[in-house]
Amino acid sequence: MEISNVEYLVIVGYLLLIIIVGLVFKKFSANTDDYFKGGSKGTWWLVGSSAFMSAFSAWTFTGAAGIAYESGFSAMFIFFGNVLGFFVNYLFMGPWLRQMRVTTFPEAIAGRFGEKTRDFYAYYEVPIRILYSAMALYGLGIFCSAVFGYDINYVIVVCGVVVLLYSATGGRWAVMATDFLQGLILVPLTLIVAYLCLDALGGVENLFVKIEEQGLTEEYSMINSATLFGGAYTWGWASAMMAKQFIVFNSMNAAPRYFSVKDGKEAKKAALLCSVLMLLGSFIWFLPPITARLLYPDLVMAFDIAKPAEASYAVASISLLPMGLVGLIVVAILAATMSSMDTGLNTNVAILIKDIYPKISRKLSWKAKRESELLNYGRTLTWVMGFLIVLLALYFAQQDGSGIFEIMLQVGTLLSMPITIPLLLGMFIRQTPWWAALFSIACALIFSSLAFFEVPLSYLGFSQAYSDSFEWNFQQQFFGVLGSGTFGFLISTLFAPSQRSAHRQMVDKFFTNMKTPIDFEKEIGEGNDLSQLTAIGRFGVAVAGFIALMLIIPNPLEGRIVILVLAVTIGVISLLMLKAGKEPVTKTKDAVSQIK
């Protein structure tokens, strides 16, 4: 699918903008706490938008779009799970995660399970996060190569280097700022795309008329029969999807998204913002793929990729958007993966500096490093980790097997859930031995290995007839892993030490700390709320001005109105931020108290 030189200009302009953001926010990082968690001074709207953007990748516009293209409204359950996860964060988990008062989640694990379990998670997470980031970058390259005609190697290198430039320079502050700007573009743009889709279909009522006319009523039911999609999109599938997302968003390894926020109250607001934005997305992100199925099926099926349906969001967007904004859709797809990659990269380097390096340093009797030296090490390691991700993604791109991406996603699903289960249960159940998490993981991995290798159930004593009819679908894999991991964790409680033991005292201290509200002025000091508003507001105005320049591009009147609406929306929000950033601190505090 060809796009014009104007769209290339838009893409290049955006990439340059976020590099500049990294340079500007370098001054916000004076030490490793600033670099890895923004000094815990992030405002709720900044941290919330960053958490929202890092919660999904380009898969939202590719894999999830493919699901919506095939099964219609069933795709909404994927995002409903995210809404549920963030809403529970808002109710109480967000403050708990923030109040752990650490920089990395292995530090929190040390307080809950001890140093041995901390070491396991620290050494496990670094290579796994590198692998996940490389696979996401590779998947983005495959999509952009097939749909937009870009060279896959160029996509991998350019996106990887851009993420490195702003992440290594500005650290967590740059990650949050770029995520906010990406969200500032993505949310109104996807709203516009959804509106254009409904307009092209003739409204909501006509949407359902066309679904019925094309014989898709059964396929597009939110809950399908087990025979229609091989067991997918049933009540069991929907329940597993909701439960999976709840666990992912509420376990201890989800805590880093709130380490940057000022206190528990701000964490609640950040989580509520994420929940609201995800709920909005749940109702608009599935519309373009459905529109592509109803209006442009030949265009979608013309793509020579493994699953042409995954190009449906791009097809609908390019078909309906005016010239200029097509480039922003490409930007939105790039940003979705880049926002996940930059957060993962920053978290990975934090683990290296805060969890792994100190222990290696003590074992080798290295001289203690000053804070400024550790900050430089962090920046250097960001470059090293980033280059490893890019090189690994390029390696995957050179392989002949096109199924590598799907295989790694399956491996990731079966490996990530076993280590996540004890990190949720451990926040509610105190009476456990130090090895509870490791035993839970071992039990879950036994089941996930059976599922991954699709071991016939007849080997486990089941009848041959039942074994032959059994399929290892998503919900059976998930609930099996969840059940076995939970079983292992609960069994370990039988061996819990006494309340007077050193381990139990450590656990009690962890729970007390986690549930004690943060006194920001006492524990952190002075905030920089106005600086955040002013700096990001200025970038927002620049984005709005850049989009407004697209009005000179020859487009029909309707197209120019769409561009104007997007520019005005971003501009108004940015100007309001600048206005708030100029108000005296006392007025800002009064305004915040009114919001509360």
Side-chain angles (χ1 to χ4, degrees):
M1 183 172 286
E2 297 284 337
I3 64 174
S4 68
N5 291 331
V6 172
E7 317 301 352
Y8 283 107
L9 180 63
V10 171
I11 296 168
V12 171
Y14 166 79
L15 294 177
L16 289 175
L17 172 70
I18 60 175
I19 291 173
I20 294 171
V21 171
L23 295 173
V24 170
F25 276 86
K26 181 180 181 180
K27 66 181 181 180
F28 281 70
S29 297
N31 51 51
T32 53
D33 273 355
D34 290 339
Y35 191 77
F36 293 129
K37 61 175 183 177
S40 294
K41 296 179 180 180
T43 48
W44 63 270
W45 52 268
L46 184 60
V47 174
S49 58
S50 181
F52 167 71
M53 286 299 298
S54 63
F56 58 91
S57 68
W59 185 84
T60 300
F61 302 103
T62 57
I67 292 174
Y69 184 91
E70 294 175 351
S71 64
F73 305 107
S74 298
M76 296 173 70
F77 279 108
I78 300 171
F79 304 111
F80 285 162
N82 296 350
V83 174
L84 173 65
F86 278 124
F87 188 70
V88 175
N89 283 180
Y90 161 72
L91 292 177
F92 63 94
M93 290 294 286
W96 284 10
L97 296 173
R98 169 62 184 94
Q99 288 158 193
M100 290 177 181
R101 296 169 169 85
V102 293
T103 302
T104 68
F105 78 88
E107 286 184 73
I109 291 171
R112 174 59 186 88
F113 294 107
E115 290 296 324
K116 292 182 179 179
T117 305
R118 172 188 187 173
D119 290 344
F120 169 81
Y121 276 94
Y123 285 103
Y124 178 90
E125 281 292 324
V126 172
I128 289 298
R129 285 178 182 268
I130 291 174
L131 184 60
Y132 285 172
S133 294
M135 292 308 304
L137 198 54
Y138 169 51
L140 177 65
I142 290 175
F143 179 79
C144 290
S145 173
V147 177
F148 302 116
Y150 303 156
D151 185 289
I152 185 173
N153 297 306
Y154 288 164
V155 173
I156 290 171
V157 172
V158 170
C159 290
V161 170
V162 168
V163 170
L164 272 174
L165 283 171
Y166 71 78
S167 296
T169 305
R172 182 63 184 165
W173 280 113
V175 169
M176 291 190 294
T178 53
D179 285 350
F180 179 85
L181 291 172
Q182 289 165 352
L184 191 61
I185 296 171
L186 184 142
V187 173
L189 182 60
T190 52
L191 274 170
I192 288 173
V193 173
Y195 169 79
L196 292 175
C197 287
L198 283 177
D199 185 60
L201 291 167
V204 175
E205 184 177 348
N206 207 39
L207 163 66
F208 290 98
V209 170
K210 287 185 178 295
I211 290 173
E212 185 176 356
E213 287 176 350
Q214 298 192 23
L216 297 173
T217 302
E218 185 180 3
E219 291 182 26
Y220 275 17
S221 298
M222 286 196 70
I223 300 297
N224 299 112
S225 66
T227 59
L228 196 56
F229 293 102
Y233 320 130
T234 60
W235 279 116
W237 179 89
S239 301
M241 185 62 67
M242 297 281 284
K244 174 181 176 293
Q245 295 306 98
F246 168 79
I247 294 172
V248 166
F249 283 97
N250 288 280
S251 61
M252 290 169 65
N253 55 356
R257 63 168 51 96
Y258 297 112
F259 289 165
S260 303
V261 80
K262 295 166 68 175
D263 55 30
K265 292 180 180 178
E266 294 265 305
K268 283 175 70 73
K269 293 180 183 179
L272 183 59
L273 175 63
C274 291
S275 187
V276 170
L277 291 175
M278 276 292 175
L279 183 61
L280 177 65
S282 301
F283 288 100
I284 64 172
W285 290 334
F286 68 88
L287 280 172
I290 291 177
T291 303
R293 176 77 178 268
L294 298 174
L295 300 181
Y296 315 111
D298 294 337
L299 285 177
V300 173
M301 292 297 113
F303 285 102
D304 186 21
I305 55 178
K307 293 184 177 179
E310 295 186 351
S312 57
Y313 196 104
V315 167
S317 301
I318 293 173
S319 300
L320 297 172
L321 282 171
M323 186 182 300
L325 293 192
V326 172
L328 284 184
I329 278 294
V330 179
V331 161
I333 294 172
L334 296 179
T337 291
M338 291 166 66
S339 60
S340 299
M341 181 180 169
D342 60 25
T343 301
L345 189 60
N346 187 261
T347 301
N348 220 15
V349 175
I351 293 172
L352 287 170
I353 294 295
K354 294 290 187 178
D355 296 292
I356 295 177
Y357 174 78
K359 293 195 173 183
I360 294 177
S361 179
R362 285 194 295 270
K363 285 183 180 179
L364 299 179
S365 300
W366 289 347
K367 183 180 177 181
K369 301 297 180 182
R370 298 190 303 272
E371 186 67 20
S372 59
E373 292 178 303
L374 290 176
L375 179 59
N376 288 330
Y377 283 175
R379 289 196 169 105
T380 301
L381 282 172
T382 300
W383 282 100
V384 173
M385 292 293 101
F387 277 125
L388 285 176
I389 290 169
V390 172
L391 289 175
L392 190 57
L394 289 172
Y395 169 76
F396 290 139
Q398 305 310 311
Q399 304 308 301
D400 295 331
S402 58
I404 294 178
F405 186 50
E406 290 187 1
I407 292 172
M408 290 310 303
L409 283 179
Q410 185 182 13
V411 171
T413 299
L414 294 174
L415 287 181
S416 62
M417 192 49 57
I419 69 167
T420 304
I421 293 167
L423 299 186
L424 172 65
L425 298 176
M427 295 176 67
F428 295 92
I429 302 173
R430 298 192 188 204
Q431 297 178 333
T432 58
W434 70 265
W435 45 267
L438 300 179
F439 186 68
S440 172
I441 293 169
C443 292
L445 283 176
I446 291 173
F447 186 91
S448 68
S449 298
L450 296 175
F452 178 72
F453 292 107
E454 298 186 353
V455 174
L457 295 187
S458 57
Y459 293 1
L460 305 177
F462 291 88
S463 68
Q464 188 63 49
Y466 180 77
S467 178
D468 292 341
S469 62
F470 182 83
E471 292 184 11
W472 289 100
N473 58 34
F474 164 72
Q475 53 265 38
Q476 287 164 341
Q477 292 178 6
F478 170 78
F479 285 121
V481 170
L482 176 61
S484 55
T486 301
F487 173 79
F489 194 88
L490 295 177
I491 286 294
S492 74
T493 62
L494 301 176
F495 303 91
S498 67
Q499 290 188 344
R500 288 178 290 181
S501 66
H503 176 77
R504 182 57 188 269
Q505 290 176 8
M506 177 192 75
V507 174
D508 288 343
K509 181 180 178 181
F510 168 84
F511 274 88
T512 300
N513 196 44
M514 182 178 72
K515 295 183 180 181
T516 301
I518 289 171
D519 185 330
F520 179 76
E521 292 185 0
K522 183 179 179 180
E523 298 184 37
I524 308 299
E526 187 177 354
N528 56 4
D529 298 21
L530 302 186
S531 298
Q532 296 174 48
L533 284 165
T534 302
I536 298 177
R538 287 171 179 169
F539 278 113
V541 169
V543 170
F546 181 71
I547 293 173
L549 287 175
M550 297 179 192
L551 290 170
I552 64 175
I553 300 171
N555 272 311
L557 178 61
E558 295 82 359
R560 295 191 179 189
I561 291 175
V562 168
I563 293 172
L564 181 62
V565 168
L566 182 61
V568 169
T569 301
I570 296 174
V572 168
I573 294 172
S574 302
L575 289 173
L576 288 174
M577 293 173 66
L578 286 175
K579 182 178 183 298
K582 292 179 180 179
E583 292 179 355
V585 176
T586 54
K587 288 186 178 180
T588 302
K589 286 184 177 180
D590 290 340
V592 171
S593 64
Q594 291 176 6
I595 294 174
K596 294 178 182 178

